[in-house]
Amino acid sequence: PNGEKLSFLLMSLPTVQASARGTLLSLTEEHISQLIREAVQVQRHCKRARIHLPNNDTTKNSTAGKDKDRAGVVKRRLHAEDINMALQWRGSEKIYATGTVGFRNSSSSRGRGGQDKKVVLEEYLKSEMDLKPPQEVGLTVHWLAVDGTQPDIPQNPASNKNKRKAIVHRVEEEEEADAAGDTGDGVQVMQLLPRLLSEELQLYFSRITTAVERGGMTPVERQQQDAALRSLARDSGLQELVPFMINYVTRNLKRHMGSPEHCRTLVRMASSLLVNPHIHLELYLHQLLPAILTMVVAQRLSSKPWDNHWSLRYEAALCLVQACNQFGNDYATLKPRILRTLCDAVGPDKSLPTQYGGIVGISLFGPKAINAFILPLALDYWKQWNEALTRLEDLEQRMEVQMCQQATLNALSVFLGPTNHEAPEAMDMEWEELEDTFGDPLVMLSTNETEYAMCFI
């Protein structure tokens, strides 16, 4: 029927010649027949078939068995998808708006007394705008992890951050917990992945963290803690524990920031990891160094004014310098970035404890760093500190000023020490300016035979 309709349309065209119409008709019939043959091949390979049951009248008049009467007849017919696949096979554009579900012939529906559903075009167009067009199947690229952290994007699975973490070890033993009447508030250790770590490594991690958490209040506990840190500094086969150790140190430094003694132990633990020749920390420096740097330049590290947070800042600065000396050749920007942070801490708008941490940290980098970053500020700061000591009455504030002065004198002793043969010639200021500002303490720091020192002697 479609071929006859097409022939009728071609014959009805007045501008087409008879020879051209014949050629078009033959080409059209050839293409349609070839398309149908290819669609039949596709339909046969797809094994599409329809089982049609015979009518009830036929089954009543038949004399065969009941099962044989109800046997259906398999009829094969072309489907719209077969035509589309055949067109795609030939490289032609496929037919859209095919395979509509729920379509029924209007003549058959009227014969059964049904009515076609009326469609309002405006509503149909509005509803069609809400639907997203179908997308072709393909591949996309996304970030699975960035610096070891899984980004929160729809392509990645959601991380269950609210899931409670199980407990695999308690610091208190059962007998001690029963004797003390513990109600379950003991120190808890993060759950280790049993598939990644052996039982020996889990036990080692538990023993190390137990010794760190118990502290060194008694001589026995202090010996156990020192032994654990020495073991951490020289034992081999601990590379699998490195991410857990780094995570433990950084998390507890943030949690126990108001306890200087416990933070000192954690800084010693980080130093032990740095000096261990059998492990590699290159992939974890971005997690460890910011936490250590915070222990150097934080504004307040103790909840009580009499806590010794000055030694914590000094030991954390030693740990920073140790990391720079160990990894500075591999990472060219490591030392400049740390020095930039320490120089910002020495600024005039910072608090005295922060300035102390900056001065101590810069002085540990050697005479050149002292000459570049501390000496230009030492003269003005020393005069301000002397004026502050004359008017301050608060003991805590006076202690902060005196500790900053002591850190500055220690930096000058490093610069004027016997290892720096270029001092004082390498200074960017005159020697008389130092003599007028610091006075007598400068004589004890200088090892060179200056005119001021000889007059004093």
Side-chain angles (χ1 to χ4, degrees):
N2 294 330
E4 296 177 357
K5 184 182 296 185
L6 181 60
S7 301
F8 175 76
L9 291 175
L10 290 173
M11 293 176 64
S12 62
L13 293 175
T15 58
V16 180
Q17 299 179 1
S19 58
R21 284 199 300 267
T23 304
L24 289 176
L25 285 174
S26 60
L27 289 176
T28 304
E29 290 179 359
E30 182 181 356
H31 284 294
I32 292 177
S33 60
Q34 185 179 0
L35 178 60
I36 292 175
R37 285 195 297 267
E38 294 176 356
V40 169
Q41 293 180 7
V42 173
Q43 182 261 344
R44 185 171 61 254
H45 288 293
C46 294
K47 298 181 180 180
R48 289 195 183 95
R50 299 292 186 270
I51 299 178
H52 298 273
L53 294 177
N55 297 330
N56 294 331
D57 299 338
T58 306
T59 55
K60 290 180 181 179
N61 298 330
S62 62
T63 58
K66 183 177 181 181
D67 296 336
K68 187 176 180 180
D69 296 337
R70 295 297 298 172
V73 179
V74 177
K75 294 183 179 181
R76 302 181 182 274
R77 63 177 181 179
L78 290 179
H79 194 268
E81 293 296 333
D82 301 332
I83 304 295
N84 284 333
M85 293 183 69
L87 289 172
Q88 186 177 1
W89 189 6
R90 298 175 60 181
S92 302
E93 186 178 0
K94 63 181 182 179
I95 303 174
Y96 294 94
T98 58
T100 307
V101 180
F103 174 78
R104 59 184 181 179
N105 193 2
S106 60
S107 60
S108 60
S109 61
R110 293 192 187 95
R112 293 192 299 267
Q115 294 182 357
D116 294 336
K117 183 179 178 180
K118 295 182 180 179
V119 177
V120 181
L121 293 179
E122 294 182 358
E123 297 180 358
Y124 177 76
L125 292 176
K126 291 180 180 179
S127 63
E128 196 177 34
M129 295 177 64
D130 299 335
L131 301 176
K132 294 182 179 179
Q135 297 180 354
E136 295 290 339
V137 179
L139 297 177
T140 58
V141 181
H142 67 89
W143 287 103
L144 181 62
V146 179
D147 294 334
T149 304
Q150 177 179 295
D152 189 8
I153 57 178
Q155 288 81 2
N156 289 332
S159 59
N160 192 3
K161 299 180 180 179
N162 298 325
K163 185 177 180 181
R164 297 187 61 183
K165 298 166 184 176
I167 303 170
V168 296
H169 177 72
R170 297 192 63 80
V171 173
E172 294 83 358
E173 297 181 358
E174 295 181 359
E175 297 180 359
E176 297 178 357
D178 295 338
D182 189 12
T183 59
D185 295 331
V187 178
Q188 301 176 358
V189 180
M190 300 283 291
Q191 181 183 7
L192 301 179
L193 296 178
R195 296 182 181 179
L196 298 179
L197 297 178
S198 61
E199 294 183 1
E200 292 79 7
L201 289 178
Q202 294 187 34
L203 181 61
Y204 185 89
F205 180 83
S206 301
R207 295 292 176 84
I208 295 294
T209 53
T210 298
V212 171
E213 293 291 345
R214 283 182 174 176
M217 300 301 296
T218 62
V220 177
E221 293 178 351
R222 194 176 300 110
Q223 292 178 0
Q224 293 177 354
Q225 187 178 96
D226 295 339
L229 295 179
R230 285 195 302 268
S231 174
L232 194 62
R234 66 170 183 266
D235 288 349
S236 59
L238 303 180
Q239 185 62 39
E240 296 181 8
L241 277 177
V242 169
F244 299 97
M245 293 289 186
I246 297 298
N247 186 24
Y248 177 82
V249 171
T250 55
R251 188 182 68 252
N252 284 275
L253 280 177
K254 182 179 179 181
R255 182 183 302 174
H256 301 281
M257 187 173 290
S259 178
E261 291 299 325
H262 187 68
C263 290
R264 282 183 61 190
T265 306
L266 294 172
V267 171
R268 291 177 57 197
M269 184 176 176
S271 300
S272 300
L273 291 173
L274 287 171
V275 300
N276 193 328
H278 304 288
I279 61 178
H280 306 279
L281 299 178
E282 289 85 352
L283 299 178
Y284 309 98
L285 293 178
H286 67 283
Q287 301 178 15
L288 180 62
L289 294 185
I292 301 298
L293 192 58
T294 303
M295 296 297 106
V296 179
V297 299
Q299 183 176 359
R300 192 169 187 86
L301 292 176
S302 61
S303 57
K304 301 176 183 178
W306 57 84
D307 287 338
N308 187 14
H309 61 91
W310 311 103
S311 59
L312 169 62
R313 298 177 188 272
Y314 181 76
E315 292 186 8
L318 284 176
C319 186
L320 276 181
V321 175
Q322 182 181 1
C324 290
N325 294 333
Q326 186 173 352
F327 302 102
N329 295 330
D330 298 332
Y331 302 98
T333 60
L334 178 61
K335 187 180 294 185
R337 291 170 64 181
I338 292 179
L339 278 174
R340 188 183 303 113
T341 305
L342 295 176
C343 292
D344 293 339
V346 186
D349 57 337
K350 303 298 181 181
S351 61
L352 290 177
T354 302
Q355 290 180 355
Y356 172 84
I359 295 172
V360 169
I362 294 174
S363 63
L364 293 176
F365 279 93
K368 293 184 179 179
I370 295 173
N371 186 25
F373 304 114
I374 294 181
L375 290 184
L377 302 175
L379 301 180
D380 296 336
Y381 281 5
W382 191 268
K383 296 177 182 178
Q384 295 176 7
W385 292 336
N386 285 333
E387 294 176 358
L389 287 176
T390 57
R391 68 174 186 273
L392 289 177
E393 297 181 358
D394 189 5
L395 296 179
E396 182 180 0
Q397 295 179 357
R398 292 179 64 88
M399 173 64 72
E400 292 177 354
V401 174
Q402 292 173 358
M403 293 302 297
C404 290
Q405 288 182 334
Q406 184 64 38
T408 305
L409 292 177
N410 291 338
L412 288 176
S413 66
V414 173
F415 180 74
L416 300 175
T419 57
N420 188 16
H421 302 287
E422 299 178 358
E425 290 81 5
M427 289 191 304
D428 297 334
M429 61 183 67
E430 298 294 334
W431 181 261
E432 288 76 8
E433 297 181 6
L434 291 178
E435 294 175 352
D436 296 339
T437 303
F438 294 98
D440 296 343
L442 192 62
V443 179
M444 304 302 296
L445 302 178
S446 177
T447 58
N448 300 323
E449 294 182 358
T450 59
E451 181 181 357
Y452 182 81
M454 297 302 295
C455 293
F456 184 80
I457 294 174

